[in-house]
């Protein structure tokens, strides 16, 4: 048994040796195979490289051949560029000699990249207004004409943005992808393309909407001394367009940056900035930018006009615009005229405001309503610029300093203010309720004048004075709190039906505020019905009577609780 076991071990050893030899043979064969594969791959790589080199050489030769063929077709060209040299520069204007082929309003470039616009042509030189800083520009520098006129970006992308008169954003670094660019100057639509103003544009100021209605496409001038609430009236008109679909453009001309930023903050706080374009030119900007600002704003407004939309544009203010143009004209050595203004000062405002209009439906049916603002001195509305603007516009709202100091805000002088469109732009319901309101106020002013001297008056005159005082208290309004059309109708109806007659004059304001709060919270459906209908139907008047009776009961309960 022991021998057999030894034989088996030897046999197992022999088998293992054979396996080892077989394995060695396989390894050798595998090594040969790997070597042959590497050699094969190397040969392929070398062949590919040679083919690529030949291919690249063919491509290069082909390109060179094409270039040589094209070069034979090139013809030498000579390009002529109109150039000039700086003769004098400073204070935002420049005098350039040369530039024989330039035209008015053409853009030229200086070596620093700053642009200028041609404003005056002479036989031997050209006068320019600088559209940027003149630092780094010296006499003798080369000026090159571009053959182009000044254009600004327009489009709905500008809504919610603050831009300078050249259309460049100044609120943030985000670039404006404008729909298109348009020239600043444009001929106003002709009479055939227009239609009469017959649709109301509610400003939210009770006194204006009741007594001096403004229509879409109208130009209503706002006059007054400094710090009398002119900008507030215009801003309230913008705030009241929040849900009306009317686009708004606010143009600040030569205003302090703090004042313009305050207006922008108000627009953002009331959530109407997204519907407004702000064109900003501050008092420290070059006079050229202050001069171009209103034209840039009007060009941006005309884009929406061409889309068939309604636009409200505010120019704050054109007195500073006239001053900027006078500054430029005197620097350009133009002869001064009345009050040192050049003779064409009327033209620069008329060609601006004439672009505000209401178009026919066949031309899109859009409108531009302009609210230009002008500053007076000591209430003098017969000054040169003021009378020019009055003759161009369709009415004026005159703010009185005395009324303002007496806390009668808005301080609109009823005797000197007018809207030449009149009732044509007023809703029939409001026209019916207003009636002789303006006449009653005028009569109250005359009668109240006599009572200052201690003159005794009869009971009828006393009632007339009391009613006039109540009307004036009702027409008072806090800034940046515009009234809707429906709420104005409610207040007017309450006044006409005698609901204010039993209220003490000192409590009229509290009574009105409570009335507004009552209707907003309890009679919202009635306000919607009033807004939908142009006339006061019998059913609406019945509902108004019922609601006012309910409010009077509520007012008595409040009074008892306060006691």
């Amino acid at each position: 048994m022991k021998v057999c076991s030894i034989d088996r071990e030897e046999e197992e050893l022999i088998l293992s040796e054979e396996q080892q030899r077989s394995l060695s043979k396989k390894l050798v064969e595998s090594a040969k195979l790997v070597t042959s594969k590497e050699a094969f791959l190397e040969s392929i790589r070398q062949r590919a490289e040679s083919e690529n080199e030949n291919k690249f050489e063919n491509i290069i030769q082909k390109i060179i051949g094409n270039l040589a063929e094209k070069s034979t077709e090139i013809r030498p060209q000579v390009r002529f560029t109109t150039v000039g040299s700086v003769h004098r520069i400073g204070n935002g204007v420049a005098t350039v000699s040369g530039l024989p082929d330039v035209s008015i309003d053409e853009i030229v470039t200086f070596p620093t990249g700053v642009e200028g616009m041609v404003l005056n042509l002479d036989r031997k030189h050209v006068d320019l207004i600088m559209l940027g800083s003149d630092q780094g520009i010296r006499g003798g520098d080369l000026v090159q004409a571009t053959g182009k006129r000044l254009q600004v970006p327009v489009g709905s992308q500008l809504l919610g943005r603050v831009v300078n008169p050249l259309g460049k954003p100044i609120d943030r670094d985000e670039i404006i992808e404008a729909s298109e660019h348009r020239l600043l100057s444009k001929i106003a639509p002709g009479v055939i393309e227009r239609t009469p103003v017959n649709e109301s544009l509610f400003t939210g100021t009770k006194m204006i909407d009741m007594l001096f209605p403004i229509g879409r496409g109208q130009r209503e001038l706002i006059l007054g001394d400094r710090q009398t609430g002119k900008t507030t009236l215009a801003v309230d008109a913008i705030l009241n367009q929040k849900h009306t679909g009317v686009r708004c453009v606010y143009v600040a001309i030569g205003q302090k940056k703090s004042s313009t930023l305050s207006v922008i903050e108000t627009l953002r706080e009331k959530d109407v900035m997204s519907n407004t374009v702000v064109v900003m030119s501050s008092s420290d900007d070059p006079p050229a930018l202050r001069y171009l600002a209103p034209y840039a704003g009007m060009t941006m407004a005309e884009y929406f006009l061409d889309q068939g939309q309604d636009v409200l544009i505010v120019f704050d203010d054109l007195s500073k615009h006239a001053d900027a143009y006078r500054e430029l004209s005197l620097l350009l050595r133009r002869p001064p005229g009345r009050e040192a203004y050049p003779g064409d000062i009327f033209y620069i405002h008329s060609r601006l405001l004439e672009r505000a209009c209401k178009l026919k439906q066949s031309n899109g049916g859009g409108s531009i309503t302009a609210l230009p603002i002008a500053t007076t001195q000591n209430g003098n509305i017969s000054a040169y610029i003021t009378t020019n603007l009055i003759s161009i516009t369709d009415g004026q709202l005159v703010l009185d300093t005395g009324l303002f100091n007496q806390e009668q805000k808005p301080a609109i002088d009823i005797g000197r203010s007018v809207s030449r469109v009149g009732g044509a732009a007023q809703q029939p319901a409001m026209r019916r309720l207003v009636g002789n309101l303006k006449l009653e106020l005028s009569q109250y002013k005359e009668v109240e004048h006599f009572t200052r001297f201690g003159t005794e008056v009869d009971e009828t005159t006393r009632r007339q004075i009391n009613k006039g005082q109540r009307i004036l208290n009702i027409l008072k309004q806090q800034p940046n709190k515009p009234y809707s059309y429906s709420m104005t109708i409610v207040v007017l109806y309450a006044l006409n039906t005698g609901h204010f007659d039993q209220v003490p004059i000192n409590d009229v304001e509290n009574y009105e505020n409570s009335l507004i709060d009552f209707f907003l919270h309890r009679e919202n459906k009635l306000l919607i019905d009033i807004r939908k209908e142009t006339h006061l139907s019998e059913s609406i008047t019945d509902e108004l009577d019922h609601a006012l009776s309910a409010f009077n009961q509520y007012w008595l309960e409040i009074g008892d609780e306060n006691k």
Side-chain angles (χ1 to χ4, degrees):
M1 294 293 294
K2 189 175 181 180
V3 174
C4 290
S5 62
I6 293 173
D7 294 341
R8 286 179 181 174
E9 290 177 359
E10 291 177 354
E11 185 177 359
E12 290 176 359
L13 289 172
I14 293 170
L15 289 174
S16 63
E17 289 177 357
E18 289 180 356
Q19 290 176 354
Q20 290 177 3
R21 286 194 297 272
S22 175
L23 181 61
S24 298
K25 185 178 180 180
K26 290 180 179 179
L27 289 173
V28 171
E29 291 177 355
S30 298
K32 290 180 179 180
L33 182 60
V34 169
T35 303
S36 62
K37 285 183 178 179
E38 290 180 352
F40 176 72
L41 292 174
E42 180 64 22
S43 64
I44 291 176
R45 186 178 63 80
Q46 293 177 357
R47 188 187 306 169
E49 288 180 354
S50 62
E51 290 180 356
N52 286 338
E53 288 179 359
N54 295 332
K55 183 178 180 180
F56 288 148
E57 289 180 0
N58 294 334
I59 293 174
I60 292 172
Q61 292 297 329
K62 187 176 181 180
I63 292 174
I64 293 174
N66 290 336
L67 291 176
E69 182 180 352
K70 294 294 184 182
S71 64
T72 59
E73 300 176 2
I74 296 177
R75 296 292 181 268
Q77 295 180 352
V78 179
R79 295 184 179 180
F80 293 94
T81 303
T82 302
V83 295
S85 59
V86 177
H87 180 65
R88 182 172 55 249
I89 188 168
N91 298 319
V93 299
T95 301
V96 178
S97 59
L99 298 176
D101 297 329
V102 295
S103 59
I104 290 291
D105 292 346
E106 185 174 338
I107 300 298
V108 301
T109 57
F110 290 85
T112 59
V114 175
E115 294 182 337
M117 191 176 75
V118 178
L119 199 64
N120 201 31
L121 299 177
D122 206 339
R123 294 184 62 184
K124 295 183 179 180
H125 62 266
V126 176
D127 292 322
L128 313 170
I129 56 176
M130 303 296 295
L131 302 181
S133 174
D134 57 5
Q135 292 184 356
I137 304 175
R138 299 179 178 179
D141 285 351
L142 196 66
V143 182
Q144 184 174 343
T146 62
K148 301 177 181 178
R149 296 169 63 192
L150 184 61
Q151 294 182 329
V152 293
V154 297
S156 58
Q157 297 84 356
L158 274 76
L159 293 173
R161 302 299 301 273
V162 182
V163 299
N164 67 4
L166 302 180
K168 298 179 181 178
I170 56 179
D171 53 349
R172 53 184 186 270
D173 295 332
E174 183 181 346
I175 299 176
I176 300 176
E177 298 291 341
S179 300
E180 57 180 291
H181 287 73
R182 293 190 178 184
L183 298 173
L184 287 183
S185 299
K186 180 183 176 182
I187 298 177
V191 177
I192 304 301
E193 302 175 19
R194 306 187 184 207
T195 188
V197 176
N198 53 15
E199 186 178 359
S200 296
L201 185 135
F202 295 102
T203 64
T205 302
K206 291 178 292 183
M207 184 177 290
I208 296 176
D209 294 333
M210 291 180 187
L211 305 178
F212 313 103
I214 297 176
R216 299 189 180 186
Q218 186 177 345
R219 299 153 296 183
E220 186 77 5
L221 177 64
I222 301 176
L223 291 171
D225 292 356
R226 295 181 65 254
Q227 303 297 324
T228 52
K230 302 185 298 297
T231 301
T232 301
L233 285 181
V235 171
D236 285 352
I238 294 177
L239 298 182
N240 204 47
Q241 310 310 316
K242 183 175 180 179
H243 300 296
T244 62
V246 177
R247 305 297 188 183
C248 301
V249 180
Y250 177 79
V251 184
I253 310 169
Q255 299 292 325
K256 293 187 297 184
K257 288 184 178 179
S258 59
S259 301
T260 307
L261 291 176
S262 176
V263 171
I264 295 172
E265 186 62 29
T266 301
L267 297 177
R268 286 177 176 161
E269 181 183 348
K270 301 297 183 179
D271 196 24
V272 294
M273 188 63 191
S274 59
N275 192 47
T276 308
V277 182
V278 177
V279 181
M280 181 176 174
S281 64
S282 60
S283 56
D284 55 354
D285 283 338
L289 295 184
R290 285 180 273 143
Y291 164 66
L292 296 174
Y295 300 105
M298 182 61 78
T299 303
M300 296 171 186
E302 284 177 337
Y303 171 82
F304 300 109
L305 173 71
D306 295 339
Q307 306 300 316
Q309 301 180 10
D310 296 314
V311 189
L312 171 64
I313 184 168
V314 175
F315 300 109
D316 189 12
D317 67 44
L318 289 186
S319 296
K320 291 183 172 61
H321 179 246
D323 293 342
Y325 187 69
R326 174 174 60 182
E327 180 181 350
L328 289 173
S329 299
L330 295 178
L331 289 171
L332 296 175
R333 304 175 307 281
R334 292 181 177 177
R338 178 179 168 185
E339 299 180 20
Y341 289 101
D344 59 342
I345 191 71
F346 180 89
Y347 172 69
I348 71 166
H349 285 156
S350 63
R351 71 179 177 131
L352 170 70
L353 295 175
E354 282 297 329
R355 293 160 71 175
C357 62
K358 181 174 178 60
L359 297 178
K360 291 181 177 179
Q361 288 297 328
S362 57
N363 295 320
S367 68
I368 295 180
T369 307
L371 293 180
I373 298 174
T375 304
T376 59
Q377 295 182 354
N378 295 325
N380 180 23
I381 63 173
S382 61
Y384 185 34
I385 300 302
T386 305
T387 52
N388 280 349
L389 292 171
I390 289 175
S391 64
I392 296 170
T393 53
D394 307 314
Q396 68 273 353
L397 302 172
V398 181
L399 302 182
D400 185 73
T401 305
L403 294 175
F404 187 86
N405 295 332
Q406 295 171 15
E407 296 299 323
Q408 182 65 41
K409 303 175 184 178
I412 298 176
D413 188 338
I414 297 175
R416 294 190 293 173
S417 302
V418 67
S419 174
R420 297 191 183 97
V421 173
Q426 200 170 30
Q427 291 281 15
M430 186 169 294
R431 192 186 314 130
R432 168 192 164 189
L433 292 175
V434 168
N436 296 324
L437 188 63
K438 187 175 180 181
L439 179 61
E440 291 178 354
L441 284 174
S442 299
Q443 291 175 347
Y444 157 74
K445 286 289 185 181
E446 294 295 329
V447 174
E448 189 261 346
H449 210 56
F450 288 102
T451 60
R452 297 180 185 177
F453 303 101
T455 306
E456 294 184 3
V457 295
D458 56 13
E459 184 62 26
T460 303
T461 306
R462 177 63 58 187
R463 285 198 301 268
Q464 188 178 17
I465 292 175
N466 289 336
K467 186 174 182 180
Q469 291 176 344
R470 282 185 171 81
I471 293 174
L472 287 179
N473 278 274
I474 291 172
L475 292 179
K476 289 182 180 180
Q477 191 168 337
Q478 295 296 322
N480 300 330
K481 292 184 179 179
Y483 276 52
S484 65
Y485 166 73
S486 302
M487 193 56 65
T488 306
I489 290 293
V490 170
V491 173
L492 261 177
Y493 188 83
L495 174 65
N496 286 352
T497 52
H499 289 276
F500 281 92
D501 292 348
Q502 305 304 321
V503 180
I505 295 177
N506 295 332
D507 288 340
V508 167
E509 185 175 356
N510 294 330
Y511 182 87
E512 183 182 356
N513 292 334
S514 300
L515 177 67
I516 293 171
D517 186 69
F518 179 86
F519 271 79
L520 287 176
H521 290 87
R522 302 191 185 184
E523 300 292 342
N524 195 36
K525 181 180 179 300
L526 178 56
L527 294 177
I528 295 174
D529 293 339
I530 294 174
R531 185 174 68 246
K532 290 181 179 179
E533 295 192 16
T534 57
H535 296 76
L536 286 181
S537 62
E538 186 175 350
S539 60
I540 289 182
T541 54
D542 292 341
E543 291 182 26
L544 275 172
D545 291 332
H546 179 73
L548 288 172
S549 299
F551 169 73
N552 286 332
Q553 184 64 32
Y554 169 74
W555 173 256
L556 292 175
E557 294 174 0
I558 293 177
D560 293 338
E561 292 177 0
N562 292 335
K563 290 179 182 179

